[in-house]
Amino acid sequence: MKQYIAYALILGLVWSFVSGNISVLNFMVGSILGLLIVQSLKKLYRPDKDMTFRSIAEHLPKLAVYFAVLLIEITKASVQIARIILSPGMDIRPGIIAVPIRATKDASITAIANTISLTPGTLTIDISDDMTKLYVHAIDVSEPEELKHSIRDKLEKYVLEAFE
């Protein structure tokens, strides 16, 4: 329980700085909101382990790599979308593909789905009932195996390292 209070205090501090009103009352409001958030989301992120500062510190480099890869992939996809827009005669084949995933935890599956949706030109539509495939709409699926490979080996790999 002590660790949740520490997280709530950190979120209270963040709340104060983000809101631009650094006062004791604002810090207390942010801390109470932080405690509610931490308590409601604690099972989502590691139900089998206690959250400690050490475990978070160990995951920070992996999260940094994930966000760097995400920014690179967003940039590459944005350039590809810009090429499609600037070349209206370009032959594109939009469609939906099933991408098998290795993630088993809800947080990881959600992170993968959101990462795909954040990348321009792709959108996660659904997940299979057995939670082993994501259905992804892409602006160009002329090479579906390459797209699956890109999602599994570039995006999912880093999501698994950061969130599982």
Side-chain angles (χ1 to χ4, degrees):
M1 183 64 176
K2 290 179 187 177
Q3 64 205 19
Y4 299 125
I5 293 172
Y7 293 130
L9 293 175
I10 291 170
L11 288 173
L13 188 63
V14 170
W15 172 267
S16 295
F17 283 111
V18 169
S19 68
N21 181 8
I22 302 173
S23 66
V24 174
L25 180 63
N26 200 31
F27 173 74
M28 289 173 52
V29 168
S31 296
I32 291 169
L33 289 173
L35 187 59
L36 293 172
I37 290 169
V38 168
Q39 285 296 324
S40 64
L41 296 178
K42 70 181 179 183
K43 292 196 181 218
L44 179 64
Y45 287 104
R46 294 215 175 223
D48 55 337
K49 293 183 182 180
D50 280 337
M51 293 185 340
T52 63
F53 285 116
R54 182 181 186 140
S55 67
I56 290 174
E58 290 172 356
H59 275 82
L60 283 178
K62 294 174 183 175
L63 283 169
V65 169
Y66 161 70
F67 284 115
V69 168
L70 178 61
L71 286 174
I72 290 168
E73 290 299 314
I74 288 173
T75 303
K76 287 181 357 187
S78 297
V79 169
Q80 182 181 7
I81 296 297
R83 285 182 52 222
I84 290 170
I85 292 170
L86 295 173
S87 304
M90 188 177 227
D91 185 31
I92 59 169
R93 292 181 36 205
I96 298 172
I97 61 169
V99 179
I101 57 172
R102 299 172 293 224
T104 57
K105 295 182 179 179
D106 290 342
S108 300
I109 293 170
T110 302
I112 293 166
N114 288 338
T115 300
I116 291 168
S117 294
L118 280 173
T119 308
T122 57
L123 178 68
T124 304
I125 297 173
D126 200 6
I127 186 165
S128 63
D129 291 336
D130 61 357
M131 298 178 71
T132 59
K133 291 185 203 105
L134 290 176
Y135 297 99
V136 177
H137 179 274
I139 198 165
D140 188 13
V141 291
S142 54
E143 296 184 29
E145 291 304 316
E146 183 179 318
L147 182 59
K148 288 179 191 178
H149 170 75
S150 174
I151 290 171
R152 281 183 58 97
D153 295 339
K154 291 182 181 172
L155 297 178
E156 185 183 21
K157 172 186 170 189
Y158 295 104
V159 168
L160 290 174
E161 289 177 4
F163 294 97
E164 285 204 3

